[in-house]
Amino acid sequence: MPGLEDLYREIILDHYRSPRNRGELPPPAVRTEGHNPLCGDEIQVYLSVDSGLVSDVKISGQGCSISQSSASMMSAAVKGKPIAEVRSIVRRFKSMMTLEEEETAEADDQNVKLGDLEALQGVVKFPVRIKCATLAWNTLLQGLDEATA
Ligand code: ZN
């Protein structure tokens, strides 16, 4: 019987080998980029917002398996969702990725299902990799702020 850690490793490798929503979007889609110099990870997030929804999202960039699979999972988790729900998912994910108790999570966030994203929770045991896992999410937040400014 494979353990939970093996299952999580499989999910991460699957997203690394077959990244979802890979590519670019033309303007007026918002483009933001993030770097994690500690590991050499680079992520570009292309974001289209329409009628209060994240109508499309594309990811490009390169880096380690954690950074790229996290970006792929993020794109699948937020595409087609209302902006408020996307912000909720981001808060839940970032609170999963911190060792301290976060006071920033709001009550509604508890209802958000992270699904495959839970595969990344083991990363929190390796603090140097947390920045790899959260890079795409911080880049997405920048894009959301720009798109909704
Ligand atoms: Zn990395």
Side-chain angles (χ1 to χ4, degrees):
M1 276 282 286
L4 196 56
E5 295 213 353
D6 294 318
L7 173 68
Y8 284 170
R9 194 172 303 122
E10 268 312 303
I11 293 172
I12 290 170
L13 282 175
D14 176 54
H15 278 268
Y16 181 57
R17 292 184 186 126
S18 318
R20 319 300 198 261
N21 303 300
R22 191 92 186 157
E24 302 180 1
L25 293 173
V30 169
R31 177 188 187 276
T32 46
E33 56 180 37
H35 299 274
N36 173 19
L38 290 175
C39 182
D41 307 316
E42 297 176 13
I43 300 274
Q44 290 92 42
V45 175
Y46 297 82
L47 192 64
S48 286
V49 169
D50 188 26
S51 308
L53 296 177
V54 171
S55 52
D56 204 359
V57 58
K58 294 274 190 210
I59 307 289
S60 64
Q62 58 199 355
C64 70
S65 58
I66 297 293
S67 68
Q68 302 302 308
S69 62
S70 182
S72 170
M73 287 185 219
M74 178 201 77
S75 71
V78 306
K79 189 173 171 179
K81 300 265 169 65
I83 288 168
E85 187 178 341
V86 169
R87 288 189 181 276
S88 208
I89 295 169
V90 174
R91 282 193 300 268
R92 281 274 287 169
F93 182 78
K94 289 181 72 167
S95 81
M96 183 175 84
M97 281 294 139
T98 180
L99 295 165
E100 298 109 54
E101 281 295 313
E102 281 273 312
E103 296 296 323
T104 53
E106 296 175 10
D108 285 356
D109 298 350
Q110 301 308 316
N111 301 322
V112 173
K113 297 281 183 287
L114 289 177
D116 279 3
L117 292 167
E118 290 184 359
L120 288 165
Q121 68 190 355
V123 171
V124 82
K125 284 184 279 185
F126 307 97
V128 73
R129 310 307 298 279
I130 292 175
K131 279 189 163 40
C132 302
T134 55
L135 177 65
W137 298 78
N138 290 323
T139 311
L140 172 74
L141 270 187
Q142 279 177 36
L144 270 183
D145 288 344
E146 264 184 55
T148 57

